[in-house]
Amino acid sequence: MHDGFDRTARIVGLGGYLPERVMTNRDLEAFVETSDDWITTRTGIKERRMVADDEALVDLIERAGTAALADAGLDPAAVDLLIVATATVEQPIPATSAIVQPRLGVTNAACFDLSAACSGFTYGLNVARQFIATGEATTVLVVGAECLTRYLDWTDRTTCVLFGDGAGAVVLQPAPQGEGILQIAWRTDGSLADIISMPGGGCRYPPSSMESIHRRLPFIKMRGNETFKVAVRALTEISQSVLEAAGIGVDQVDLFIPHQANQRIIQAVGQRLGLRDEQVFSNVHRVGNTSAASIPLAMVDARDQGRMRRGDLVLASSFGGGLTWASSLFRY
Ligand code: UT7
């Protein structure tokens, strides 16, 4: 980064949590007009996780955040900033990050939520890096978490087969420039706000309004095919721009972790970037699209499979509603 600061941030802890309940494509066939074959060939997804009836977002965040802090070997009281990236808040007031604060024990942290849909975690990484670079924060917990199955319209087969629940988290601390997060980029195009949206549940169409209920507005809507095309273009462009700015060639990247929405998008972006298959990570088959939790959950799987080791050069790029897209190049 050429931002004038002499320090950046590095990941000192990583953790994730998936709810226990597994929903397979075959399970969906029982009540949605779809098939395992369609879902598998169009998306690569085989199963996703779903919260239990008595679970909600803060339960997932508590597990993921606690795991990341344990991985870092840190006392939760050391955290001075908690950022929760989510599109599926626990409740409108207060912020989800405030609700979960006592459960995590991060009692000295300032807490806020970040809304950037599927790019939320990568946006959060970038925000945290900035606070650490300026010296405003020393230990930051960034969580990407979603409880998407509560916002799915189970009569809309074009969306309900795609998404899953989960949470992933990292702990960031200062590092000298040249280590940790090396380069970031983020973009927004609000002129395409309506291609992925949840139109109801806010002040325009409050959840209680008859219009909201009759038009099924408090559910996720997506024009999938349009989204697909923009996603491939945007993920490729932002990944290239981050590598170029850092002066890093594709062959130097140990692992590319793209947003896990669709295996065909992951493959297309990997090919356009000129990456070999073994450089591209995917776990979409087992978790589906977990939006803001997608990148950190993939990082956890990559670490656990020995595909992301300490010192590896990792490129993480996300894309989602807003539209938003973002990329972070870091040495793990
Ligand atoms: O996380 C935020 C970013 N999100 C993404 O990046 C998602 C991007 N989009 C996609 O992943 C894909 O566009 C989808 C998986 C959502 C859809 O795949 P597609 O190849 O773009 O399919 P399509 O929307 O063009 O639909 C093809 C056909 C349609 O039937 P007709 O009109 O050709 O007769 C749909 O009605 O597939 C039908 N279809 C289904 N059939 C069985 C749509 N959903 C289903 C389904 N099961 N679940």
Side-chain angles (χ1 to χ4, degrees), residues 294-319:
S294 160
I295 300 265
L297 281 173
M299 286 166 65
V300 170
D301 276 358
R303 176 197 61 190
D304 293 351
Q305 292 167 23
R307 291 193 55 197
M308 185 176 83
R309 291 171 295 265
R310 281 284 169 202
D312 278 356
L313 193 55
V314 181
L315 177 66
S317 302
S318 53
F319 175 85

PDB file of all heavy atoms in Angstrom, residues 294-319:
ATOM      1  N   SER A 294     -18.876 -16.080   3.364  1.00  0.00           N
ATOM      2  CA  SER A 294     -18.291 -16.937   2.334  1.00  0.00           C
ATOM      3  C   SER A 294     -16.763 -16.976   2.349  1.00  0.00           C
ATOM      4  O   SER A 294     -16.147 -18.049   2.403  1.00  0.00           O
ATOM      5  CB  SER A 294     -18.824 -16.438   0.981  1.00  0.00           C
ATOM      6  OG  SER A 294     -18.053 -16.834  -0.080  1.00  0.00           O
ATOM      7  N   ILE A 295     -16.131 -15.816   2.323  1.00  0.00           N
ATOM      8  CA  ILE A 295     -14.654 -15.779   2.270  1.00  0.00           C
ATOM      9  C   ILE A 295     -14.032 -16.337   3.557  1.00  0.00           C
ATOM     10  O   ILE A 295     -13.165 -17.219   3.482  1.00  0.00           O
ATOM     11  CB  ILE A 295     -14.140 -14.345   1.973  1.00  0.00           C
ATOM     12  CG1 ILE A 295     -14.676 -13.869   0.616  1.00  0.00           C
ATOM     13  CG2 ILE A 295     -12.618 -14.245   2.112  1.00  0.00           C
ATOM     14  CD1 ILE A 295     -13.813 -14.062  -0.583  1.00  0.00           C
ATOM     15  N   PRO A 296     -14.445 -15.879   4.753  1.00  0.00           N
ATOM     16  CA  PRO A 296     -13.770 -16.431   5.941  1.00  0.00           C
ATOM     17  C   PRO A 296     -14.041 -17.919   6.137  1.00  0.00           C
ATOM     18  O   PRO A 296     -13.159 -18.650   6.624  1.00  0.00           O
ATOM     19  CB  PRO A 296     -14.319 -15.591   7.106  1.00  0.00           C
ATOM     20  CG  PRO A 296     -15.578 -14.991   6.604  1.00  0.00           C
ATOM     21  CD  PRO A 296     -15.377 -14.796   5.127  1.00  0.00           C
ATOM     22  N   LEU A 297     -15.226 -18.398   5.756  1.00  0.00           N
ATOM     23  CA  LEU A 297     -15.477 -19.843   5.869  1.00  0.00           C
ATOM     24  C   LEU A 297     -14.594 -20.619   4.897  1.00  0.00           C
ATOM     25  O   LEU A 297     -14.089 -21.703   5.219  1.00  0.00           O
ATOM     26  CB  LEU A 297     -16.948 -20.164   5.604  1.00  0.00           C
ATOM     27  CG  LEU A 297     -17.918 -19.900   6.758  1.00  0.00           C
ATOM     28  CD1 LEU A 297     -19.367 -20.106   6.302  1.00  0.00           C
ATOM     29  CD2 LEU A 297     -17.613 -20.805   7.951  1.00  0.00           C
ATOM     30  N   ALA A 298     -14.377 -20.062   3.714  1.00  0.00           N
ATOM     31  CA  ALA A 298     -13.476 -20.710   2.756  1.00  0.00           C
ATOM     32  C   ALA A 298     -12.045 -20.689   3.283  1.00  0.00           C
ATOM     33  O   ALA A 298     -11.290 -21.657   3.126  1.00  0.00           O
ATOM     34  CB  ALA A 298     -13.563 -20.013   1.396  1.00  0.00           C
ATOM     35  N   MET A 299     -11.668 -19.594   3.948  1.00  0.00           N
ATOM     36  CA  MET A 299     -10.319 -19.511   4.527  1.00  0.00           C
ATOM     37  C   MET A 299     -10.131 -20.606   5.584  1.00  0.00           C
ATOM     38  O   MET A 299      -9.069 -21.245   5.646  1.00  0.00           O
ATOM     39  CB  MET A 299     -10.091 -18.133   5.167  1.00  0.00           C
ATOM     40  CG  MET A 299      -9.885 -17.018   4.155  1.00  0.00           C
ATOM     41  SD  MET A 299     -10.011 -15.360   4.897  1.00  0.00           S
ATOM     42  CE  MET A 299      -8.613 -15.362   6.010  1.00  0.00           C
ATOM     43  N   VAL A 300     -11.139 -20.817   6.399  1.00  0.00           N
ATOM     44  CA  VAL A 300     -11.053 -21.848   7.446  1.00  0.00           C
ATOM     45  C   VAL A 300     -10.885 -23.221   6.803  1.00  0.00           C
ATOM     46  O   VAL A 300     -10.002 -24.005   7.196  1.00  0.00           O
ATOM     47  CB  VAL A 300     -12.311 -21.820   8.351  1.00  0.00           C
ATOM     48  CG1 VAL A 300     -12.340 -23.036   9.268  1.00  0.00           C
ATOM     49  CG2 VAL A 300     -12.364 -20.535   9.170  1.00  0.00           C
ATOM     50  N   ASP A 301     -11.704 -23.513   5.790  1.00  0.00           N
ATOM     51  CA  ASP A 301     -11.589 -24.812   5.112  1.00  0.00           C
ATOM     52  C   ASP A 301     -10.222 -24.963   4.454  1.00  0.00           C
ATOM     53  O   ASP A 301      -9.605 -26.032   4.508  1.00  0.00           O
ATOM     54  CB  ASP A 301     -12.688 -24.972   4.057  1.00  0.00           C
ATOM     55  CG  ASP A 301     -13.992 -25.484   4.663  1.00  0.00           C
ATOM     56  OD1 ASP A 301     -14.017 -25.739   5.885  1.00  0.00           O
ATOM     57  OD2 ASP A 301     -14.980 -25.615   3.917  1.00  0.00           O
ATOM     58  N   ALA A 302      -9.756 -23.885   3.815  1.00  0.00           N
ATOM     59  CA  ALA A 302      -8.457 -23.938   3.126  1.00  0.00           C
ATOM     60  C   ALA A 302      -7.335 -24.217   4.132  1.00  0.00           C
ATOM     61  O   ALA A 302      -6.446 -25.025   3.886  1.00  0.00           O
ATOM     62  CB  ALA A 302      -8.205 -22.629   2.386  1.00  0.00           C
ATOM     63  N   ARG A 303      -7.395 -23.543   5.274  1.00  0.00           N
ATOM     64  CA  ARG A 303      -6.384 -23.786   6.318  1.00  0.00           C
ATOM     65  C   ARG A 303      -6.468 -25.236   6.809  1.00  0.00           C
ATOM     66  O   ARG A 303      -5.457 -25.926   6.913  1.00  0.00           O
ATOM     67  CB  ARG A 303      -6.612 -22.829   7.491  1.00  0.00           C
ATOM     68  CG  ARG A 303      -5.658 -23.094   8.653  1.00  0.00           C
ATOM     69  CD  ARG A 303      -6.129 -22.452   9.942  1.00  0.00           C
ATOM     70  NE  ARG A 303      -7.423 -22.957  10.373  1.00  0.00           N
ATOM     71  CZ  ARG A 303      -8.144 -22.431  11.365  1.00  0.00           C
ATOM     72  NH1 ARG A 303      -7.694 -21.371  11.997  1.00  0.00           N
ATOM     73  NH2 ARG A 303      -9.311 -22.953  11.706  1.00  0.00           N
ATOM     74  N   ASP A 304      -7.693 -25.688   7.098  1.00  0.00           N
ATOM     75  CA  ASP A 304      -7.855 -27.027   7.666  1.00  0.00           C
ATOM     76  C   ASP A 304      -7.446 -28.120   6.683  1.00  0.00           C
ATOM     77  O   ASP A 304      -7.063 -29.214   7.085  1.00  0.00           O
ATOM     78  CB  ASP A 304      -9.309 -27.233   8.133  1.00  0.00           C
ATOM     79  CG  ASP A 304      -9.650 -26.328   9.323  1.00  0.00           C
ATOM     80  OD1 ASP A 304      -8.718 -25.695   9.870  1.00  0.00           O
ATOM     81  OD2 ASP A 304     -10.835 -26.230   9.671  1.00  0.00           O
ATOM     82  N   GLN A 305      -7.546 -27.826   5.382  1.00  0.00           N
ATOM     83  CA  GLN A 305      -7.123 -28.802   4.368  1.00  0.00           C
ATOM     84  C   GLN A 305      -5.643 -28.658   4.013  1.00  0.00           C
ATOM     85  O   GLN A 305      -5.152 -29.319   3.097  1.00  0.00           O
ATOM     86  CB  GLN A 305      -7.959 -28.616   3.090  1.00  0.00           C
ATOM     87  CG  GLN A 305      -9.419 -28.991   3.246  1.00  0.00           C
ATOM     88  CD  GLN A 305     -10.261 -28.506   2.064  1.00  0.00           C
ATOM     89  OE1 GLN A 305      -9.759 -28.279   0.965  1.00  0.00           O
ATOM     90  NE2 GLN A 305     -11.549 -28.344   2.299  1.00  0.00           N
ATOM     91  N   GLY A 306      -4.959 -27.745   4.690  1.00  0.00           N
ATOM     92  CA  GLY A 306      -3.533 -27.538   4.418  1.00  0.00           C
ATOM     93  C   GLY A 306      -3.270 -26.798   3.126  1.00  0.00           C
ATOM     94  O   GLY A 306      -2.146 -26.788   2.613  1.00  0.00           O
ATOM     95  N   ARG A 307      -4.318 -26.129   2.592  1.00  0.00           N
ATOM     96  CA  ARG A 307      -4.122 -25.405   1.324  1.00  0.00           C
ATOM     97  C   ARG A 307      -3.820 -23.927   1.546  1.00  0.00           C
ATOM     98  O   ARG A 307      -3.463 -23.212   0.621  1.00  0.00           O
ATOM     99  CB  ARG A 307      -5.348 -25.577   0.427  1.00  0.00           C
ATOM    100  CG  ARG A 307      -5.447 -27.013  -0.059  1.00  0.00           C
ATOM    101  CD  ARG A 307      -6.441 -27.170  -1.167  1.00  0.00           C
ATOM    102  NE  ARG A 307      -6.203 -26.292  -2.299  1.00  0.00           N
ATOM    103  CZ  ARG A 307      -7.121 -26.047  -3.217  1.00  0.00           C
ATOM    104  NH1 ARG A 307      -8.305 -26.613  -3.138  1.00  0.00           N
ATOM    105  NH2 ARG A 307      -6.860 -25.248  -4.238  1.00  0.00           N
ATOM    106  N   MET A 308      -3.981 -23.434   2.772  1.00  0.00           N
ATOM    107  CA  MET A 308      -3.575 -22.064   3.117  1.00  0.00           C
ATOM    108  C   MET A 308      -2.688 -22.161   4.359  1.00  0.00           C
ATOM    109  O   MET A 308      -3.171 -22.414   5.447  1.00  0.00           O
ATOM    110  CB  MET A 308      -4.792 -21.178   3.390  1.00  0.00           C
ATOM    111  CG  MET A 308      -4.432 -19.715   3.630  1.00  0.00           C
ATOM    112  SD  MET A 308      -5.866 -18.626   3.843  1.00  0.00           S
ATOM    113  CE  MET A 308      -6.210 -18.884   5.595  1.00  0.00           C
ATOM    114  N   ARG A 309      -1.391 -22.021   4.114  1.00  0.00           N
ATOM    115  CA  ARG A 309      -0.430 -22.170   5.207  1.00  0.00           C
ATOM    116  C   ARG A 309       0.159 -20.805   5.558  1.00  0.00           C
ATOM    117  O   ARG A 309       0.127 -19.876   4.744  1.00  0.00           O
ATOM    118  CB  ARG A 309       0.698 -23.124   4.778  1.00  0.00           C
ATOM    119  CG  ARG A 309       0.251 -24.578   4.632  1.00  0.00           C
ATOM    120  CD  ARG A 309       1.341 -25.429   3.996  1.00  0.00           C
ATOM    121  NE  ARG A 309       1.598 -24.997   2.633  1.00  0.00           N
ATOM    122  CZ  ARG A 309       1.023 -25.547   1.553  1.00  0.00           C
ATOM    123  NH1 ARG A 309       0.203 -26.567   1.671  1.00  0.00           N
ATOM    124  NH2 ARG A 309       1.286 -25.084   0.344  1.00  0.00           N
ATOM    125  N   ARG A 310       0.689 -20.709   6.765  1.00  0.00           N
ATOM    126  CA  ARG A 310       1.327 -19.464   7.204  1.00  0.00           C
ATOM    127  C   ARG A 310       2.392 -19.043   6.194  1.00  0.00           C
ATOM    128  O   ARG A 310       3.190 -19.876   5.747  1.00  0.00           O
ATOM    129  CB  ARG A 310       1.955 -19.644   8.589  1.00  0.00           C
ATOM    130  CG  ARG A 310       0.922 -19.565   9.704  1.00  0.00           C
ATOM    131  CD  ARG A 310       0.524 -18.120   9.944  1.00  0.00           C
ATOM    132  NE  ARG A 310      -0.636 -17.973  10.820  1.00  0.00           N
ATOM    133  CZ  ARG A 310      -1.413 -16.887  10.832  1.00  0.00           C
ATOM    134  NH1 ARG A 310      -1.203 -15.876  10.006  1.00  0.00           N
ATOM    135  NH2 ARG A 310      -2.420 -16.800  11.660  1.00  0.00           N
ATOM    136  N   GLY A 311       2.352 -17.783   5.809  1.00  0.00           N
ATOM    137  CA  GLY A 311       3.320 -17.253   4.841  1.00  0.00           C
ATOM    138  C   GLY A 311       2.825 -17.286   3.410  1.00  0.00           C
ATOM    139  O   GLY A 311       3.423 -16.657   2.531  1.00  0.00           O
ATOM    140  N   ASP A 312       1.717 -18.014   3.167  1.00  0.00           N
ATOM    141  CA  ASP A 312       1.183 -18.080   1.802  1.00  0.00           C
ATOM    142  C   ASP A 312       0.644 -16.718   1.355  1.00  0.00           C
ATOM    143  O   ASP A 312       0.105 -15.962   2.164  1.00  0.00           O
ATOM    144  CB  ASP A 312       0.043 -19.108   1.711  1.00  0.00           C
ATOM    145  CG  ASP A 312       0.558 -20.537   1.559  1.00  0.00           C
ATOM    146  OD1 ASP A 312       1.783 -20.713   1.443  1.00  0.00           O
ATOM    147  OD2 ASP A 312      -0.274 -21.467   1.561  1.00  0.00           O
ATOM    148  N   LEU A 313       0.762 -16.482   0.050  1.00  0.00           N
ATOM    149  CA  LEU A 313       0.210 -15.269  -0.539  1.00  0.00           C
ATOM    150  C   LEU A 313      -1.203 -15.586  -1.028  1.00  0.00           C
ATOM    151  O   LEU A 313      -1.388 -16.437  -1.891  1.00  0.00           O
ATOM    152  CB  LEU A 313       1.098 -14.813  -1.703  1.00  0.00           C
ATOM    153  CG  LEU A 313       0.874 -13.416  -2.247  1.00  0.00           C
ATOM    154  CD1 LEU A 313       0.983 -12.353  -1.157  1.00  0.00           C
ATOM    155  CD2 LEU A 313       1.890 -13.120  -3.352  1.00  0.00           C
ATOM    156  N   VAL A 314      -2.187 -14.892  -0.446  1.00  0.00           N
ATOM    157  CA  VAL A 314      -3.589 -15.214  -0.698  1.00  0.00           C
ATOM    158  C   VAL A 314      -4.300 -14.001  -1.290  1.00  0.00           C
ATOM    159  O   VAL A 314      -4.125 -12.875  -0.826  1.00  0.00           O
ATOM    160  CB  VAL A 314      -4.292 -15.630   0.625  1.00  0.00           C
ATOM    161  CG1 VAL A 314      -5.753 -15.986   0.377  1.00  0.00           C
ATOM    162  CG2 VAL A 314      -3.564 -16.797   1.286  1.00  0.00           C
ATOM    163  N   LEU A 315      -5.090 -14.267  -2.313  1.00  0.00           N
ATOM    164  CA  LEU A 315      -5.906 -13.217  -2.918  1.00  0.00           C
ATOM    165  C   LEU A 315      -7.362 -13.573  -2.669  1.00  0.00           C
ATOM    166  O   LEU A 315      -7.833 -14.630  -3.103  1.00  0.00           O
ATOM    167  CB  LEU A 315      -5.625 -13.157  -4.430  1.00  0.00           C
ATOM    168  CG  LEU A 315      -6.441 -12.156  -5.248  1.00  0.00           C
ATOM    169  CD1 LEU A 315      -6.108 -10.721  -4.856  1.00  0.00           C
ATOM    170  CD2 LEU A 315      -6.174 -12.351  -6.745  1.00  0.00           C
ATOM    171  N   ALA A 316      -8.082 -12.717  -1.926  1.00  0.00           N
ATOM    172  CA  ALA A 316      -9.500 -12.973  -1.627  1.00  0.00           C
ATOM    173  C   ALA A 316     -10.336 -11.894  -2.290  1.00  0.00           C
ATOM    174  O   ALA A 316     -10.101 -10.704  -2.073  1.00  0.00           O
ATOM    175  CB  ALA A 316      -9.724 -12.969  -0.115  1.00  0.00           C
ATOM    176  N   SER A 317     -11.299 -12.325  -3.121  1.00  0.00           N
ATOM    177  CA  SER A 317     -12.103 -11.353  -3.864  1.00  0.00           C
ATOM    178  C   SER A 317     -13.581 -11.688  -3.734  1.00  0.00           C
ATOM    179  O   SER A 317     -13.974 -12.839  -3.902  1.00  0.00           O
ATOM    180  CB  SER A 317     -11.712 -11.368  -5.349  1.00  0.00           C
ATOM    181  OG  SER A 317     -10.338 -11.075  -5.498  1.00  0.00           O
ATOM    182  N   SER A 318     -14.359 -10.658  -3.434  1.00  0.00           N
ATOM    183  CA  SER A 318     -15.780 -10.902  -3.186  1.00  0.00           C
ATOM    184  C   SER A 318     -16.657 -10.042  -4.092  1.00  0.00           C
ATOM    185  O   SER A 318     -16.203  -9.047  -4.660  1.00  0.00           O
ATOM    186  CB  SER A 318     -16.097 -10.622  -1.725  1.00  0.00           C
ATOM    187  OG  SER A 318     -15.654  -9.332  -1.381  1.00  0.00           O
ATOM    188  N   PHE A 319     -17.925 -10.447  -4.166  1.00  0.00           N
ATOM    189  CA  PHE A 319     -18.873  -9.747  -5.043  1.00  0.00           C
ATOM    190  C   PHE A 319     -20.279  -9.947  -4.502  1.00  0.00           C
ATOM    191  O   PHE A 319     -20.628 -11.051  -4.074  1.00  0.00           O
ATOM    192  CB  PHE A 319     -18.795 -10.345  -6.463  1.00  0.00           C
ATOM    193  CG  PHE A 319     -19.816  -9.753  -7.383  1.00  0.00           C
ATOM    194  CD1 PHE A 319     -19.556  -8.563  -8.043  1.00  0.00           C
ATOM    195  CD2 PHE A 319     -21.056 -10.355  -7.556  1.00  0.00           C
ATOM    196  CE1 PHE A 319     -20.522  -7.990  -8.865  1.00  0.00           C
ATOM    197  CE2 PHE A 319     -22.016  -9.795  -8.381  1.00  0.00           C
ATOM    198  CZ  PHE A 319     -21.745  -8.609  -9.041  1.00  0.00           C
TER     199      PHE A 319
END
